[in-house]
Amino acid sequence: MEPLYVAHAVSSGEGRNGHVATDDRLIDLDLAVQKELGGPGGLTNPEQLFAAGYAACFHSALQAVARAAKVDLGASSVEASVGIGKEGEGFGLNAILEVAIPGAPRETAQALVEKAHQVCPYSNATRGNIVVEIDLVQASDD
């Protein structure tokens, strides 16, 4: 693959209890381990950043496939939940995407979701590596 864009970020400090910043400083955040993992919480964490990226990327893929199919999505949205838990000797992730497409009938909306899952870079990166569940939670005939 020939990259069209490359993002650059640096983690410093103590990883999950440290700091992350992009080279352009549009992201410049302190991090904290979640309370559920024994940390202090109160600051963002890598799973939140991953969830935000996946939600935005999948929504963009959904909009692209809808445009190509000439389908109006209405006020569509994608909510991503990313979980972390013990897996073997280490930790693993899972993701749930909840997609709302109030501008399209359920059958059409489901087809768009499936197509978006095939073209979304985050979906392609995670496929076969983590469990990703995608739920169509709203369509125009709900």
Side-chain angles (χ1 to χ4, degrees):
M1 176 200 73
E2 181 68 31
L4 301 174
Y5 168 75
V6 177
H8 299 275
V10 173
S11 171
S12 58
E14 299 178 22
R16 288 178 167 275
N17 281 317
H19 189 87
V20 293
T22 54
D23 58 345
D24 58 10
R25 295 289 192 216
L26 291 175
I27 295 176
D28 195 350
L29 303 168
D30 288 328
L31 303 176
V33 173
Q34 304 90 309
K35 287 183 180 183
E36 296 84 350
L37 296 177
L43 296 172
T44 198
N45 59 69
E47 290 69 40
Q48 289 174 322
L49 296 171
F50 187 79
Y54 202 167
C57 190
F58 193 90
H59 199 195
S60 188
L62 181 64
Q63 291 169 339
V65 299
R67 267 192 309 277
K70 298 182 178 10
V71 174
D72 178 14
L73 296 179
S76 62
S77 65
V78 176
E79 180 178 332
S81 301
V82 173
I84 184 171
K86 289 291 281 177
E87 186 173 77
E89 295 295 315
F91 288 86
L93 300 174
N94 70 0
I96 300 170
L97 302 179
E98 293 182 336
V99 182
I101 306 176
R106 180 160 289 278
E107 185 175 304
T108 302
Q110 187 63 47
L112 292 172
V113 166
E114 290 170 12
K115 178 71 172 171
H117 189 46
Q118 295 306 307
V119 301
C120 172
Y122 275 66
S123 291
N124 289 332
T126 59
R127 188 171 291 109
N129 296 309
I130 69 170
V131 174
V132 176
E133 178 184 322
I134 304 176
D135 298 322
L136 179 60
V137 296
Q138 182 186 15
S140 66
D141 51 4
D142 288 344

